[in-house]
Amino acid sequence: MIRPLPSLGLLDRVFRVLFPGVLFLLLNGCANVSYYSQLASGQLQLLRAREPVSTVIADPSRDEKLRAHLAQSQKARAFASQQLHLPDNQSYRLYADIGRPFVVWNVFATPEFSLTPQNHCFPIAGCVAYRGYYSQSAARGEAAIQRLNGMDVSIGGVEAYSTLGWFNDPIISSMIGWGDERLATLIFHELAHQRLYVKDDTEFNESYATFVEQEGTRQWRAFRGLSPANEAQVQQRDQFTQLILDTRTRLTALYALALPADQMRQRKAAEFERLRGEYRRMRDSQWAGDKRYDAWINAPMNNARLLPFGLYDQWVPAFAALFRQVDGDWVKFYAGAEKLGALPVVERKAALKALAGA
């Protein structure tokens, strides 16, 4: 049964009561007051902006395209719970207009000669491989500080995120712009985080949610009688991702060598040029010159720009293998994923590696 949405006034009062205590605990852990204050303020603004999707759809004065997108989103939302066995609650049955292209901007940072991300730890979410900001300027300020400290840095805009069931997450205006199917994939991805989340393992969490998103989208298309997604584009995405992962593997091996800094920088730069060259050859010989990834590949390159690929894609083949093992039974799949998540981290990675090779 869907829980009724608490009033925003009640939620605001609870939020205000709880936040000072949480902040006190965070500060005792040497956290930064301004950073956590902007997190609390940003989340509270998002909660206050929510309204039922049904209200927006029923209001003829609202933008017609928005109402149409939201109407389609509710079909995908129902499919998520009924067919994909994702949580059935008020999340994504609400809408929030935030007036900006992204809800948060994540700052990724690594040492100059390492692909190990700078982790940040939080009481609810555990440790994650990025730091999020509700303001793009604040994210740029943090990135500038990290660069001054000699770190490789990248900023990525985020269309949506999950509060892991602590609040009823809304469809955010930042999720709307890419069309109905992209909106559905985001709903599947974020609800997957509500279904299962393992503290301190970003690679596991994001790879798992990415698999649910991809398989859920495939089934959503089939449910509506649509042909499978453009296989050429899917293949291109997978090939491009593999190029990045292969580059990560070579860089990891390079950084393990005891080389002088200048030589390490030269070889690091050479690996990025190798990536660009391999991409262009693949684009021109196999993709008929499709330039969809040109902007990304031609931008300045560093370790931090490669992080999201390892985080969001590293174990997708493992979860795909797990799904095949249970003959596509979603309930059994989630049970298997939960067992993996309960393993000690070393055993978990070994099990995922074995699945990926199966």
Short mmCIF file of all heavy atoms in Angstrom, two decimals, residues 150-175:
data_model
loop_
_atom_site.label_atom_id
_atom_site.label_comp_id
_atom_site.label_asym_id
_atom_site.label_seq_id
_atom_site.Cartn_x
_atom_site.Cartn_y
_atom_site.Cartn_z
N GLY A 150 46.89 19.92 -5.95
CA GLY A 150 47.55 18.97 -6.83
C GLY A 150 46.70 17.80 -7.27
O GLY A 150 47.22 16.83 -7.84
N MET A 151 45.40 17.88 -7.07
CA MET A 151 44.51 16.77 -7.43
C MET A 151 44.02 16.89 -8.87
O MET A 151 43.91 17.99 -9.41
CB MET A 151 43.31 16.74 -6.49
CG MET A 151 43.67 16.65 -5.00
SD MET A 151 44.36 15.06 -4.53
CE MET A 151 42.85 14.09 -4.38
N ASP A 152 43.72 15.75 -9.47
CA ASP A 152 42.96 15.72 -10.72
C ASP A 152 41.49 15.87 -10.35
O ASP A 152 40.99 15.15 -9.47
CB ASP A 152 43.18 14.40 -11.46
CG ASP A 152 44.45 14.40 -12.28
OD1 ASP A 152 45.29 15.29 -12.08
OD2 ASP A 152 44.62 13.48 -13.10
N VAL A 153 40.76 16.76 -11.04
CA VAL A 153 39.40 17.10 -10.62
C VAL A 153 38.46 17.11 -11.82
O VAL A 153 38.84 17.49 -12.94
CB VAL A 153 39.36 18.48 -9.93
CG1 VAL A 153 37.95 18.78 -9.42
CG2 VAL A 153 40.36 18.55 -8.79
N SER A 154 37.22 16.70 -11.59
CA SER A 154 36.17 16.76 -12.60
C SER A 154 34.85 17.10 -11.93
O SER A 154 34.60 16.66 -10.80
CB SER A 154 36.05 15.42 -13.34
OG SER A 154 35.01 15.47 -14.30
N ILE A 155 34.02 17.89 -12.62
CA ILE A 155 32.69 18.25 -12.10
C ILE A 155 31.63 17.64 -13.03
O ILE A 155 31.73 17.76 -14.25
CB ILE A 155 32.50 19.77 -12.04
CG1 ILE A 155 33.54 20.41 -11.14
CG2 ILE A 155 31.09 20.12 -11.55
CD1 ILE A 155 33.50 21.93 -11.13
N GLY A 156 30.64 16.99 -12.44
CA GLY A 156 29.57 16.39 -13.23
C GLY A 156 28.21 16.80 -12.71
O GLY A 156 27.93 16.68 -11.52
N GLY A 157 27.35 17.33 -13.60
CA GLY A 157 26.00 17.67 -13.21
C GLY A 157 25.14 16.42 -13.06
O GLY A 157 25.28 15.47 -13.83
N VAL A 158 24.26 16.43 -12.06
CA VAL A 158 23.43 15.27 -11.75
C VAL A 158 21.96 15.66 -11.89
O VAL A 158 21.52 16.65 -11.31
CB VAL A 158 23.70 14.77 -10.31
CG1 VAL A 158 22.79 13.60 -9.96
CG2 VAL A 158 25.16 14.37 -10.17
N GLU A 159 21.21 14.87 -12.66
CA GLU A 159 19.80 15.18 -12.90
C GLU A 159 18.91 14.76 -11.73
O GLU A 159 17.84 15.33 -11.51
CB GLU A 159 19.32 14.45 -14.16
CG GLU A 159 20.08 14.82 -15.42
CD GLU A 159 19.98 13.74 -16.47
OE1 GLU A 159 20.30 12.57 -16.15
OE2 GLU A 159 19.58 14.04 -17.59
N ALA A 160 19.32 13.71 -11.00
CA ALA A 160 18.48 13.17 -9.93
C ALA A 160 19.36 12.43 -8.94
O ALA A 160 20.48 12.04 -9.25
CB ALA A 160 17.44 12.21 -10.51
N TYR A 161 18.83 12.25 -7.74
CA TYR A 161 19.51 11.42 -6.75
C TYR A 161 18.47 10.83 -5.83
O TYR A 161 17.33 11.29 -5.77
CB TYR A 161 20.56 12.21 -5.97
CG TYR A 161 20.00 13.30 -5.08
CD1 TYR A 161 19.56 13.02 -3.78
CD2 TYR A 161 19.91 14.62 -5.53
CE1 TYR A 161 19.04 14.03 -2.97
CE2 TYR A 161 19.40 15.62 -4.73
CZ TYR A 161 18.97 15.32 -3.44
OH TYR A 161 18.45 16.31 -2.64
N SER A 162 18.85 9.80 -5.10
CA SER A 162 17.94 9.14 -4.18
C SER A 162 18.32 9.47 -2.75
O SER A 162 19.50 9.48 -2.40
CB SER A 162 18.00 7.62 -4.39
OG SER A 162 17.25 6.95 -3.40
N THR A 163 17.31 9.71 -1.91
CA THR A 163 17.54 9.86 -0.47
C THR A 163 17.39 8.51 0.24
O THR A 163 17.29 8.46 1.46
CB THR A 163 16.59 10.89 0.16
OG1 THR A 163 15.23 10.47 -0.04
CG2 THR A 163 16.80 12.26 -0.44
N LEU A 164 17.37 7.42 -0.55
CA LEU A 164 17.37 6.05 -0.03
C LEU A 164 16.16 5.75 0.84
O LEU A 164 16.23 4.95 1.77
CB LEU A 164 18.67 5.78 0.75
CG LEU A 164 19.97 6.12 0.02
CD1 LEU A 164 21.18 5.82 0.88
CD2 LEU A 164 20.06 5.37 -1.30
N GLY A 165 15.05 6.42 0.52
CA GLY A 165 13.82 6.15 1.24
C GLY A 165 13.59 7.03 2.45
O GLY A 165 12.54 6.93 3.09
N TRP A 166 14.54 7.89 2.79
CA TRP A 166 14.35 8.78 3.93
C TRP A 166 13.26 9.81 3.65
O TRP A 166 12.58 10.26 4.56
CB TRP A 166 15.67 9.47 4.29
CG TRP A 166 16.58 8.59 5.09
CD1 TRP A 166 17.28 7.51 4.62
CD2 TRP A 166 16.86 8.68 6.48
NE1 TRP A 166 17.99 6.94 5.64
CE2 TRP A 166 17.77 7.63 6.80
CE3 TRP A 166 16.47 9.54 7.49
CZ2 TRP A 166 18.25 7.42 8.08
CZ3 TRP A 166 16.96 9.34 8.78
CH2 TRP A 166 17.83 8.30 9.06
N PHE A 167 13.15 10.22 2.40
CA PHE A 167 12.10 11.15 1.98
C PHE A 167 11.45 10.60 0.72
O PHE A 167 12.00 9.71 0.06
CB PHE A 167 12.67 12.54 1.70
CG PHE A 167 13.36 13.16 2.89
CD1 PHE A 167 14.74 13.18 2.96
CD2 PHE A 167 12.64 13.73 3.92
CE1 PHE A 167 15.39 13.75 4.05
CE2 PHE A 167 13.27 14.30 5.01
CZ PHE A 167 14.65 14.31 5.08
N ASN A 168 10.29 11.13 0.39
CA ASN A 168 9.63 10.78 -0.86
C ASN A 168 10.24 11.63 -1.97
O ASN A 168 9.95 12.82 -2.08
CB ASN A 168 8.12 11.01 -0.75
CG ASN A 168 7.46 10.02 0.18
OD1 ASN A 168 7.67 8.82 0.07
ND2 ASN A 168 6.66 10.51 1.11
N ASP A 169 11.11 11.01 -2.76
CA ASP A 169 11.86 11.75 -3.78
C ASP A 169 10.95 12.15 -4.93
O ASP A 169 10.18 11.33 -5.43
CB ASP A 169 13.01 10.91 -4.31
CG ASP A 169 14.03 10.58 -3.23
OD1 ASP A 169 14.35 11.49 -2.44
OD2 ASP A 169 14.49 9.43 -3.17
N PRO A 170 11.06 13.39 -5.40
CA PRO A 170 10.21 13.84 -6.51
C PRO A 170 10.86 13.64 -7.88
O PRO A 170 12.08 13.49 -7.99
CB PRO A 170 10.07 15.34 -6.23
CG PRO A 170 11.40 15.71 -5.62
CD PRO A 170 11.82 14.50 -4.81
N ILE A 171 10.04 13.62 -8.91
CA ILE A 171 10.54 13.88 -10.25
C ILE A 171 10.96 15.34 -10.27
O ILE A 171 10.18 16.22 -9.91
CB ILE A 171 9.46 13.62 -11.31
CG1 ILE A 171 9.10 12.13 -11.34
CG2 ILE A 171 9.90 14.09 -12.69
CD1 ILE A 171 7.90 11.82 -12.22
N ILE A 172 12.19 15.60 -10.66
CA ILE A 172 12.71 16.96 -10.63
C ILE A 172 12.71 17.52 -12.05
O ILE A 172 12.88 16.77 -13.02
CB ILE A 172 14.14 16.98 -10.04
CG1 ILE A 172 14.16 16.22 -8.70
CG2 ILE A 172 14.63 18.40 -9.82
CD1 ILE A 172 15.56 15.98 -8.16
N SER A 173 12.51 18.80 -12.19
CA SER A 173 12.48 19.41 -13.51
C SER A 173 13.75 19.10 -14.30
O SER A 173 13.72 19.03 -15.54
CB SER A 173 12.27 20.92 -13.40
OG SER A 173 13.23 21.51 -12.54
N SER A 174 14.86 18.88 -13.62
CA SER A 174 16.12 18.54 -14.30
C SER A 174 16.07 17.17 -14.96
O SER A 174 16.92 16.86 -15.81
CB SER A 174 17.27 18.58 -13.29
OG SER A 174 17.00 17.74 -12.17
N MET A 175 15.09 16.34 -14.60
CA MET A 175 14.95 15.01 -15.18
C MET A 175 14.11 15.01 -16.46
O MET A 175 14.06 13.99 -17.15
CB MET A 175 14.29 14.06 -14.16
CG MET A 175 15.07 13.90 -12.87
SD MET A 175 14.09 13.12 -11.54
CE MET A 175 13.80 11.48 -12.18
#
